[in-house]
Each structure stands twice: as C-alpha cells, then as structure tokens.
Amino acid sequence: MDILTFIANVIGSLAWPITMLTAVILLRKPIGKLLPLLRRAKYKDLDLEFGQKLEELEQKANRASLPKSIEPPVWAGENPDDWTFGDYIERLAPISPRVAISEAWRHVELALKEAAKKLGIAESRDTLQVAKAMQESGMLSRDAVSLLADLRGLRNRAVHAKEFDLDPDQAMEFARLAERLLASIQVSGIESK
C-alpha cells in the first residue's frame, strides 16, 4: 500500500463521522431549542401536543394569578381516608392516567356547579356556560374561564382519543392545573357571599 492509497482510505473512513460532527455543531442551537419541547412523541403527536398544552396552561394559570391549592379540599361526597385532592389523584395517576384526568375534571365541574348554585346563577349542564355566567357576574376572571375551556378540551382529548398513551406525570400536571382552577372557583364563591 502506497502513501496516497493510505491517505485516501483514511479520508474515506473519516468523511462520514466528520460530516455528522459538523452537522451537529452547526445545528446544536436549533436542536437545543427543540429538546425542551420533546417530552415524548407517541401516537400521531397527540402525546407531545398534550404535554405542550399543559405547559401553556400552566403559564396561563400563573398569568391569571390562580391560587396554588385548595383550602379545605373540595370533595363530592365523603372521603373515608381524608385524602387531599392531590393525594387522591396521585393514587389514581399511576393506575390509570385517563381516570385521574377524568376525576380531576369531575371535581372542577362539581365545584363550578356548586359555586354557581350558591351565587344564584342559573344551572346549566354545560360547565363553560356556567363559567361564562360567573365571568359576566365578575366572579371568575376571563383567564380562569379560558383555562377552564382549555382544560376541558384536554380532558376530552385524554378521555376520548383512541391509541393515546398518557403518562402519570401528565395526569398529575393536569390535576395541579385543575386544583388551581378549583381554588379560584372556591374563592369566587366565598368572596361573593
């Protein structure tokens, strides 16, 4: 093997790794911006969209200055173990994230209807109509109603989408947002008495 053949073989062997290294170096900033958005990509981007939407809703809840927790816990019926809302959802989430999301949403609906009843707002089967009536009465902020509508959309997607795999962390994040909304509804019902 002569020196020119050796150099050609070395260059041929290094061409692909050098090309990849160059591409990574040139694209590191755009890739770095995308990585925080990737939680998990599952069936037809639904899982990724769900996680991104939860992050957006967390920011919306912060902008709306919604309370962080419920005092005392809001329950529909008796709870024999005296769990908090968070404990209840935390126990459900690993078993069935869909059920945990559904239960968190059920508590939002029940609290909204209870607050509307206390405030003398006509009861409706549509929680969004009740929330809008509370907004018109000055009991709920526009941001809280918007968050409620977005959470309802996520809940519907989580419960009805086939082949949609949720993880327990997403269910817990949904529940934290639902709890903040519950606290806001609870505060609106108390302050208006």
Side-chain angles (χ1 to χ4, degrees), residues 43-54 56-57 97-98 101-102 105 149-166 170 174:
Y43 181 75
K44 294 186 181 177
D45 297 327
L46 282 177
D47 197 17
L48 180 63
E49 289 174 18
F50 195 88
Q52 287 176 333
K53 188 66 174 177
L54 284 172
E56 290 172 19
L57 294 181
R98 285 179 197 261
I101 287 172
S102 183
W105 179 251
D150 290 338
L151 281 177
R152 183 175 78 162
L154 283 179
R155 176 259 174 207
N156 289 343
R157 188 180 306 171
V159 171
H160 299 295
K162 290 183 181 183
E163 304 292 328
F164 183 37
D165 187 27
L166 291 164
Q170 289 175 327
F174 182 95

Side-chain angles (χ1 to χ4, degrees), residues 5-181:
T5 307
F6 175 74
I7 292 172
N9 286 338
V10 169
I11 290 173
S13 297
L14 295 176
W16 181 245
I18 289 173
T19 302
M20 288 303 296
L21 182 62
T22 304
V24 168
I25 290 170
L26 292 174
L27 298 174
R28 75 178 184 271
K29 287 185 182 179
I31 291 172
K33 290 179 184 176
L34 291 176
L35 285 179
L37 299 176
L38 279 179
R39 288 185 159 193
R40 284 186 327 159
K42 280 277 186 180
Y43 181 75
K44 294 186 181 177
D45 297 327
L46 282 177
D47 197 17
L48 180 63
E49 289 174 18
F50 195 88
Q52 287 176 333
K53 188 66 174 177
L54 284 172
E55 285 180 10
E56 290 172 19
L57 294 181
E58 179 71 32
Q59 293 170 0
K60 186 182 279 189
N62 290 337
R63 282 193 308 271
S65 300
L66 296 183
K68 294 282 185 187
S69 63
I70 307 166
E71 293 292 334
V74 176
W75 289 101
E78 293 187 19
N79 185 3
D81 295 333
D82 294 323
W83 296 339
T84 65
F85 178 82
D87 292 338
Y88 178 58
I89 300 300
E90 194 172 315
R91 291 179 188 197
L92 282 175
I95 298 166
S96 176
R98 285 179 197 261
V99 171
I101 287 172
S102 183
E103 277 296 293
W105 179 251
R106 185 177 71 86
H107 283 86
V108 169
E109 285 182 324
L110 291 171
L112 190 62
K113 288 183 179 184
E114 183 65 29
K117 187 187 302 181
K118 288 179 184 176
L119 300 171
I121 296 173
E123 187 173 331
S124 169
R125 297 187 75 159
D126 184 6
T127 55
L128 195 53
Q129 287 179 350
V130 173
K132 286 180 180 178
M134 289 178 74
Q135 177 187 350
E136 289 170 6
S137 301
M139 307 300 171
L140 279 179
S141 70
R142 185 182 64 181
D143 289 332
V145 174
S146 174
L147 177 64
L148 182 128
D150 290 338
L151 281 177
R152 183 175 78 162
L154 283 179
R155 176 259 174 207
N156 289 343
R157 188 180 306 171
V159 171
H160 299 295
K162 290 183 181 183
E163 304 292 328
F164 183 37
D165 187 27
L166 291 164
D167 70 30
D169 292 336
Q170 289 175 327
M172 288 303 301
E173 193 170 340
F174 182 95
R176 281 189 292 275
L177 289 167
E179 185 175 22
R180 292 182 73 180
L181 192 54

